[in-house]
């Protein structure tokens, strides 16, 4: 089955922004509170360097003066203030983790609801052109990658990004020279991330798409295992699965290979950067070079030591940001597929002819009736304001019908046929000849390219699809499954759960010669009721074998009483 889903190699632009807007739409109060807690937690995790600088400066001052008691109170005050910040940061961390659990699971629930509700309005063409396993992967794999991105990647990325920005600002405050050295190291990191991370992101997107194809194929093969066995298709199925599985392996192996290379390289660049900053700081201290900074402080050990700590913190968070990019790209690939399903256009219905209860006047004319009369008619409003009623009989006609599932690949050409009420029609042909296609067109699962299909003389494009389903499926949606009466010659037959028109109007349901249901009719006898005009009630029919004149004969019986039901003789 061809899958005409999205096949782009990377998540398109705008998906991240749309996802964020969607999350804020789901939780307009909780999400801002959560973001505020994350920001506070990230900022507090960056300020210890400031406290360290102040403590070292105080120690340096007391060491030079020899008066330790003069700075002990200041140091204790700084430590106490830092402890308060850490407690607040811990509280903010607890709050945002709990809120993120609520937001994550609630958002996934709402996403699944939007997908499922949207699927109910999709045309049958969508399900014919997409593997069911691939559709299921929207609710499993894609939702799972979205869960991981919302619950883990987003908070970690925000914390790391805010920490990097805060630490870089503190660096500029203390020494622009040393900050410039750190920037050079970050440039090397960015180049590595761009080189390695770009390949990783591309293959993560491919992996997500290949996973959907694999699940779709497995579901299709498992569902059709009997067909595979009957037609000895096992080896072909294995070869096709091996090809799909190899493609998934290749994409997953390359994605994870690039991703696993990234963190060790970035960590080692961070270690080298730490050493370079230490050397640069030592050289500047020994040479007595003037310090260029926002604070205006001179170079001292109280600046160089905290700077080393900030360098480690800075490079570590840059590595975290780079590591989360892969998870976010994979999550965005799943999110893009989810949005693609949500954005699928629902089935359009421009029909205006409806099926109504009607009553017949003395002059034979029909008029709409609110009561259930067991007489059905097509209510056809016209442009001039008039309305006509056409009795439902079950006359189906195709005139010069052309149809193609894909443009340029014609399946049916110039097909003309008819099925009168009570007439038996069989479509016989090899697989792919178009038998099911014709029944799909009569159901209006697809619209024809040219020609006309008429039901009781009315173009089916003018009939509302819900009402067309009522007569073809034999069920009245508005009556919670109550069945419609179908007229077939002189007998009235009630049909429950009939699937197609060809089954719906078979003459074997009321053939005077063959009985209401013949052996070859696909409708089970328990689903058919004979309408007894005397009792004015449907009678469930069954069959039993009786011996008459020395011959065994199958006769119709009332399933409730076991009494025989006489056949009407042909006049």
């Amino acid at each position: 089955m061809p899958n005409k889903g999205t096949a782009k190699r990377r998540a398109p632009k705008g998906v991240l922004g749309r996802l964020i807007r969607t999350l804020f739409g789901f939780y307009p109060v909780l999400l801002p509170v959560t973001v505020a807690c994350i920001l506070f937690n990230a900022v507090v995790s960056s300020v210890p360097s400031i406290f360290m600088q102040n403590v070292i400066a105080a120690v340096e001052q007391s060491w030079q003066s020899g008066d330790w008691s003069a700075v002990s109170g200041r140091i204790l005050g700084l430590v106490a203030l830092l402890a308060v910040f850490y407690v607040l940061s811990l509280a903010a961390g607890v709050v945002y983790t709990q809120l993120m659990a609520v937001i994550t699971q609630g958002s996934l629930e709402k996403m699944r609801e939007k997908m499922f509700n949207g699927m109910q309005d999709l045309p049958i063409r969508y399900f014919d052109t997409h593997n069911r396993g691939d559709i299921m992967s929207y609710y499993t794999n894609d939702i799972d990658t979205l869960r991981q991105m919302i619950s883990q990647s987003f908070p970690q990325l925000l914390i790391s990004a805010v920490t990097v920005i805060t630490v870089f600002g503190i660096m500029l405050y203390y020494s622009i020279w040393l900050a410039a050295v750190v920037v050079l190291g970050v440039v090397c990191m960015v180049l590595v991330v761009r080189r390695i991370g770009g390949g990783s992101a591309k293959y993560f997107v491919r992996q997500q798409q290949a996973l959907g194809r694999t699940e779709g194929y497995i579901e299709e093969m498992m569902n059709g295992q009997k067909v595979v066995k009957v037609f000895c298709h096992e080896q072909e199925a294995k070869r096709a699965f091996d090809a799909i599985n190899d493609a998934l392996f290749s994409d997953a192996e390359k994605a994870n290979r690039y991703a696993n290379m990234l963190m060790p390289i970035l960590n080692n660049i961070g270690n080298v950067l730490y050493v370079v900053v230490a050397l640069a700081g030592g050289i500047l201290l020994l040479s007595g070079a003037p310090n260029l900074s926002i604070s205006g402080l001179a170079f001292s050990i109280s600046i160089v030591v905290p700077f080393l700590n900030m360098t480690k913190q800075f490079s570590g968070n840059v590595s975290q940001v780079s590591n989360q990019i892969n998870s976010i790209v994979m999550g965005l690939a799943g999110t893009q597929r989810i949005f693609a399903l949500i954005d699928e256009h629902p089935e359009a219905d421009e029909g205006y002819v409806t099926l109504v209860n009607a009553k017949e006047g003395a002059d034979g004319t029909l008029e709409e009736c609110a009561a259930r009369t067991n007489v059905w008619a097509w209510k056809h409003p016209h442009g001039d304001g008039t309305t006509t009623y056409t009795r439902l009989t079950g006359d189906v006609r195709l005139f010069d019908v052309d149809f193609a599932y894909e443009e340029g690949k014609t399946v049916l050409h110039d097909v003309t046929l008819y099925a009168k009420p009570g007439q038996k029609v069989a479509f016989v042909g090899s697989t792919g000849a178009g038998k099911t296609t014709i029944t799909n067109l009569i159901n209006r699962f697809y619209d024809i390219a040219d020609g006309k299909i008429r039901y009781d003389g009315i173009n089916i494009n003018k009939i509302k699809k819900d009402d067309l389903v009522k007569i073809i499926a034999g069920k009245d949606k508005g009556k919670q499954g109550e069945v419609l009466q179908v007229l077939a010659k002189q007998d009235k037959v009630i049909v429950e759960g009939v699937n197609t028109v060809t089954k719906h109007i078979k003459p074997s349901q009321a053939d005077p010669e063959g009985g209401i249901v013949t052996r070859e009719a696909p409708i089970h006898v328990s689903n058919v009721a004979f309408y007894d005009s005397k009792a004015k009630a449907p009678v469930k029919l069954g069959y039993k074998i009786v011996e008459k004149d020395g011959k065994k004969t199958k006769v119709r019986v009332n399933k409730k009483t076991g009494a025989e039901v006489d056949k009407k003789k042909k006049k």
Side-chain angles (χ1 to χ4, degrees):
M1 182 184 297
N3 187 352
K4 298 187 178 181
T6 56
K8 295 182 180 179
R9 292 304 185 190
R10 58 181 70 243
K13 296 179 180 179
V15 173
L16 179 59
R18 180 179 176 183
L19 176 61
I20 293 175
R21 290 192 300 271
T22 301
L23 295 178
F24 272 98
F26 289 157
Y27 294 96
V29 177
L30 282 183
L31 192 55
V33 173
T34 305
V35 172
C37 291
I38 292 174
L39 293 176
F40 180 79
N41 184 274
V43 172
V44 170
S45 67
S46 307
V47 297
S49 299
I50 298 177
F51 286 87
M52 183 183 294
Q53 190 276 329
N54 288 321
V55 170
I56 293 176
V59 171
E60 185 179 11
Q61 181 183 356
S62 65
W63 173 74
Q64 293 174 351
S65 64
D67 186 8
W68 291 98
S69 60
V71 297
S72 60
R74 181 185 175 190
I75 292 175
L76 289 176
L78 290 172
V79 172
L81 182 60
L82 183 60
V84 171
F85 274 117
Y86 275 143
V87 170
L88 294 176
S89 175
L90 177 62
V94 172
V95 171
Y96 94 72
T97 52
Q98 295 301 312
L99 291 180
M100 279 306 301
V102 175
I103 291 172
T104 300
Q105 298 305 322
S107 299
L108 297 183
E109 179 190 18
K110 296 176 189 297
M111 282 288 193
R112 287 191 292 264
E113 287 179 357
K114 292 182 71 173
M115 284 194 296
F116 190 81
N117 293 339
M119 284 180 58
Q120 307 311 304
D121 298 324
L122 294 181
I124 198 69
R125 178 187 293 272
Y126 179 85
F127 300 97
D128 282 348
T129 55
H130 290 74
N131 289 327
R132 280 175 288 181
D134 188 35
I135 295 175
M136 285 300 300
S137 70
Y138 287 104
Y139 295 90
T140 53
N141 296 324
D142 295 329
I143 284 291
D144 187 62
T145 58
L146 180 59
R147 176 198 59 77
Q148 184 175 354
M149 182 172 64
I150 295 175
S151 64
Q152 300 177 20
S153 300
F154 273 173
Q156 185 60 51
L157 180 65
L158 185 58
I159 290 173
S160 299
V162 172
T163 302
V164 166
I165 294 172
T166 305
V167 170
F168 186 67
I170 297 173
M171 286 180 174
L172 293 177
Y173 179 78
Y174 285 127
S175 177
I176 294 178
W177 296 126
L178 293 180
V181 175
V182 174
V183 169
L184 291 176
V186 172
V187 170
C188 296
M189 287 184 171
V190 171
L191 292 176
V192 171
V193 171
R194 187 174 181 180
R195 177 68 177 175
I196 299 178
S200 176
K202 176 177 66 176
Y203 287 112
F204 269 124
V205 174
R206 292 185 181 180
Q207 172 189 323
Q208 200 68 15
Q209 295 169 350
L211 195 59
R213 289 192 295 269
T214 303
E215 289 195 358
Y217 184 81
I218 292 173
E219 191 279 337
E220 188 177 7
M221 289 299 104
M222 293 300 99
N223 191 54
Q225 193 60 226
K226 291 183 179 179
V227 178
V228 172
K229 292 289 186 182
V230 167
F231 290 95
C232 301
H233 196 72
E234 293 91 338
Q235 296 305 318
E236 290 81 356
K238 288 180 183 178
R239 282 193 291 269
F241 175 77
D242 287 343
I244 296 175
N245 193 36
D246 289 343
L248 174 59
F249 165 77
S250 177
D251 292 334
E253 185 265 339
K254 291 177 181 177
N256 287 279
R257 184 178 64 188
Y258 281 115
N260 294 337
M261 288 169 54
L262 188 60
M263 283 303 294
I265 293 176
L266 292 179
N267 288 336
N268 283 299
I269 293 177
N271 293 333
V272 172
L273 182 60
Y274 183 88
V275 174
V276 172
V277 171
L279 291 174
I283 292 172
L284 291 173
L285 278 174
L286 294 175
S287 64
N291 185 25
L292 180 62
S293 66
I294 298 175
S295 64
L297 297 174
F299 264 124
S300 65
I301 194 69
S302 64
I303 290 179
V304 174
V305 172
F307 222 100
L308 293 176
N309 181 63
M310 287 187 288
T311 300
K312 199 69 176 175
Q313 192 176 14
F314 189 87
S315 61
N317 280 280
V318 169
S319 300
Q320 285 295 329
V321 171
S322 304
N323 187 47
Q324 293 302 324
I325 287 176
N326 290 323
S327 299
I328 288 178
V329 168
M330 187 166 64
L332 289 178
T335 305
Q336 191 271 334
R337 281 166 49 87
I338 291 172
F339 284 148
L341 178 59
I342 293 174
D343 293 339
E344 286 288 339
H345 295 294
E347 187 174 22
D349 185 7
E350 299 177 355
Y352 53 88
V353 177
T354 57
L355 189 64
V356 298
N357 282 287
K359 63 179 180 179
E360 188 173 0
D363 57 354
T365 59
L366 297 173
E367 61 181 27
E368 189 173 354
C369 178
R372 195 174 183 87
T373 62
N374 292 326
V375 177
W376 297 88
W378 299 108
K379 181 180 179 181
H380 190 172
H382 299 280
D384 57 2
T386 61
T387 302
T388 58
Y389 295 88
T390 305
R391 182 185 291 271
L392 172 66
T393 61
D395 184 89
V396 181
R397 296 178 183 270
L398 281 70
F399 299 95
D400 305 323
V401 170
D402 291 347
F403 174 74
Y405 287 104
E406 298 180 22
E407 188 175 354
K409 297 181 179 179
T410 302
V411 177
L412 300 176
H413 176 64
D414 198 24
V415 174
T416 299
L417 57 87
Y418 63 89
K420 296 179 180 179
Q423 184 178 11
K424 189 174 193 176
V425 176
F427 298 121
V428 181
S430 59
T431 301
K435 304 181 296 297
T436 304
T437 299
I438 292 177
T439 59
N440 285 341
L441 296 180
I442 296 173
N443 283 276
R444 265 201 82 190
F445 291 156
Y446 294 90
D447 289 326
I448 59 178
D450 195 12
K452 293 181 181 179
I453 301 177
R454 295 186 179 275
Y455 201 104
D456 291 334
I458 302 172
N459 193 323
I460 64 170
N461 290 331
K462 299 179 181 179
I463 301 176
K464 288 188 69 67
K465 290 186 177 181
D466 282 349
D467 292 293
L468 193 61
V469 168
K470 289 178 185 178
I471 185 58
I472 293 177
K475 288 191 179 284
D476 186 349
K477 291 183 177 179
K479 296 296 181 179
Q480 300 298 320
E482 291 184 29
V483 298
L484 302 178
Q485 270 196 0
V486 182
L487 298 180
K489 292 190 177 179
Q490 300 300 318
D491 289 337
K492 294 181 180 179
V493 179
I494 295 178
V495 183
E496 298 175 351
V498 182
N499 293 324
T500 65
V501 173
T502 52
K503 296 178 183 178
H504 183 69
I505 58 173
K506 286 184 181 297
S508 55
Q509 297 170 6
D511 188 352
E513 296 297 323
I516 291 181
V517 177
T518 60
R519 183 179 300 176
E520 62 271 20
I523 306 172
H524 193 274
V525 293
S526 63
N527 288 335
V528 179
F530 179 76
Y531 190 81
D532 190 339
S533 58
K534 294 181 180 179
K536 295 185 178 180
V539 177
K540 286 287 185 178
L541 295 181
Y543 287 96
K544 71 177 182 180
I545 305 299
V546 298
E547 190 170 342
K548 291 184 178 181
D549 301 328
K551 295 182 180 179
K552 291 184 178 180
T553 306
K554 184 170 68 173
V555 298
R556 298 179 302 167
V557 297
N558 185 321
K559 291 187 72 173
K560 185 176 182 180
T561 64
E564 293 187 18
V565 177
D566 294 331
K567 294 188 295 183
K568 290 188 176 182
K569 299 299 180 181
K570 198 171 184 179
K571 294 182 179 180

